[in-house]
Amino acid sequence: MLTSPVPRALRATFPSAHIAFLTSTPFASLYASNPHVDEVLTVDRARTNRDVGAVASLVGRLRRGRYDVSIDLHRKLKTAGIARLARVPTRIGGSRLDTVRVMLDVPSHRESHASEHALAALTPLGIADDDARPEVFVSDEDEAAAVALLRDCGIDPDSDRILGIFPGAGWKLRAWMPERFAEIARRAIDKDGMRVVVVGAEKDREATDDIGASLGADAVTLMDLPLGVLAGVSKQCAKFVSNDTGPMHLAVAVGTPTLALFGPGNFERFAPRHAPHAAIREHIACSPCKQFSNQCRDNVCMQLITVDRVWREVESLGAADAGGC
């Protein structure tokens, strides 16, 4: 999602080019309806990490595509090697195997936002685009499935104002307290008359169950949605509140005003920067966290984020017409 400004910038500069986007299979739906992309290629990353045959198959597909230029946003030796084996003549990246190296590990880029960092890879092509807004285009099928799912749960997206909540996190220290999410939901219901939809994956079950138990019939919980349908549900929300995690970026990318709660993650690199979105963090000495473990003594960076502060930001989130697509 954070690389989505790249095909947009490429299309603006090269309107007649054939643009292919290679991504891991689970994320293909994020680009399936993107008007800037002509072709979505998928790869099973786990297989290519252990199976030489899978790498050879990928190389063969790329050779048959007869691509003129590759842009390696991973900037890794392995991905550069695949492009070289595929005989792509011009290979832009960060490896010695690339024909054009873009040095992004310098002060001017090191602390840039992830989307800006991705756009910087286009510099050798004469592209200096500074529009780093991420965008995800929801397919008609996924949007219809999302609307039908919400209506089955007694929520009418045409008339109900929906607050979406994602309380999970891939790294547990990034997770705000479930009881505090529940309090935000309660205020949205009682003060603003909103409907609340809590989304999560199986690994988030403890947090979603806690919130569901607190709110009872006043909230709907949707678990393990396909990525495209999750995008569709997020798009139907009037506002979205999430920890620093993938579904937060997805809500931003579909244009829903989103509040991101940051603790140990890299705020400068990953927090949404453009209206109508907002982000919260506490300025403490150890943030962003350098240990990348779950051994923090008190998780103070998340503990210091209060319900009152989050609620003020939720109330002030802007209209959805200034963000993604």
Side-chain angles (χ1 to χ4, degrees), residues 58-137:
L58 174 59
V59 167
R61 277 192 292 155
L62 295 178
R63 280 187 185 179
R64 291 190 294 273
R66 300 174 62 88
Y67 301 103
D68 300 298
V69 180
S70 66
I71 302 164
D72 183 3
L73 300 177
H74 280 283
R75 299 176 52 76
K76 293 182 178 179
L77 184 65
K78 175 183 176 181
T79 44
I82 289 171
R84 181 177 179 178
L85 289 171
R87 300 174 184 165
V88 180
T90 301
R91 303 182 300 276
I92 300 172
S95 165
R96 64 181 181 273
L97 297 181
D98 291 306
T99 60
V100 181
R101 295 187 69 181
V102 184
M103 306 307 295
L104 298 182
D105 191 25
V106 295
S108 59
H109 291 301
R110 196 173 295 135
E111 298 304 321
S112 62
H113 192 272
S115 291
E116 295 170 346
H117 197 265
L119 280 169
L122 304 183
T123 303
L125 297 173
I127 300 175
D129 197 313
D130 61 357
D131 184 359
R133 292 175 301 112
E135 57 184 0
V136 165
F137 298 84

Side-chain angles (χ1 to χ4, degrees), residues 150 155 162-165 195-199 219-222 233 237:
L150 290 169
I155 297 176
I162 304 169
L163 174 66
I165 290 177
R195 303 298 303 274
V196 172
V197 173
V198 183
V199 293
V220 168
T221 301
L222 301 176
V233 169
C237 294

Side-chain angles (χ1 to χ4, degrees), residues 191-306:
K191 296 185 177 183
D192 286 352
M194 300 186 77
R195 303 298 303 274
V196 172
V197 173
V198 183
V199 293
E202 186 57 39
K203 66 180 184 302
D204 312 312
R205 177 71 67 176
E206 183 177 355
T208 57
D209 283 354
D210 286 349
I211 296 171
S214 177
L215 298 174
D218 288 335
V220 168
T221 301
L222 301 176
M223 301 296 290
D224 289 316
L225 297 179
L227 198 54
V229 178
L230 175 59
V233 169
S234 301
K235 186 178 178 181
Q236 299 304 315
C237 294
K239 300 179 180 182
F240 199 90
V241 183
S242 173
N243 296 313
D244 163 27
T245 190
M248 176 272 289
H249 293 298
L250 186 59
V252 169
V254 299
T256 297
T258 298
L259 177 63
L261 309 182
F262 271 75
N266 191 323
F267 182 88
E268 298 299 333
R269 177 57 65 92
F270 296 110
R273 292 187 177 182
H274 304 90
H277 317 293
I280 288 177
R281 70 161 172 176
E282 291 293 337
H283 294 269
I284 60 174
C286 57
S287 182
C289 183
K290 305 298 191 300
Q291 62 173 327
F292 296 105
S293 74
N294 291 320
Q295 303 307 310
C296 182
R297 184 176 55 201
D298 50 20
N299 202 200
V300 64
C301 55
M302 297 304 291
Q303 293 282 351
L304 288 175
I305 299 176
T306 66

